[in-house]
């Protein structure tokens, strides 16, 4: 018996693939403010937020930063940034 109360249960969910996990955290200047950008292992953008947030400190504790994102592997991912911004960027490789 159904009196129209409650919510209908969801049907079977599609078996979509999950997004790739973020592999790199890049701290880079963007027009005068530092932002944190997340990238997958293939350098696809996975997120962007303020580098001053607490999450950055949590993600980077115990990690050693690399300096600069001037390599050709970053060309497409960072095409909107200047060469100076890319050279001054700090790159962290995240544990997955």
């Amino acid at each position: 018996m159904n009196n129209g109360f409650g919510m209908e249960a969801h049907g079977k969910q599609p078996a979509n693939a999950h997004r790739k996990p973020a592999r790199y955290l890049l701290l880079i200047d963007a027009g005068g403010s530092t932002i944190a950008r997340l990238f997958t292992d293939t350098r696809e953008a996975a997120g962007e937020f303020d580098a001053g947030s607490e999450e950055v400190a949590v993600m980077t504790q115990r990690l050693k930063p690399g300096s600069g994102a001037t390599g050709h592997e970053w060309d497409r991912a960072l095409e909107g940034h200047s060469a100076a911004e890319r050279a001054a960027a700090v790159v962290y490789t995240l544990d997955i």
Side-chain angles (χ1 to χ4, degrees):
M1 178 153 107
N2 182 352
N3 292 327
F5 298 107
M7 297 176 64
E8 184 176 329
H10 294 284
K12 184 176 178 180
Q13 298 296 315
N16 294 339
H18 293 282
R19 279 193 303 184
K20 289 182 178 182
R23 180 73 174 146
Y24 301 102
L25 172 66
L26 186 88
L27 304 180
I28 191 166
D29 183 66
S33 64
T34 305
I35 59 170
R37 297 187 66 189
L38 293 169
F39 293 94
T40 66
D41 58 348
T42 57
R43 309 306 196 279
E44 294 174 57
E48 183 177 309
F49 49 96
D50 180 25
S53 68
E54 183 179 343
E55 287 80 5
V56 172
V58 171
M59 283 191 276
T60 59
Q61 67 185 146
R62 297 190 199 111
L63 295 179
K64 293 188 179 191
S67 60
T70 56
H72 69 278
E73 66 275 9
W74 291 104
D75 287 346
R76 195 172 124 252
L78 300 175
E79 60 188 9
H81 292 277
S82 70
E85 290 172 341
R86 288 178 58 176
V90 177
V91 182
Y92 291 92
T93 302
L94 302 174
D95 295 329
I96 304 179

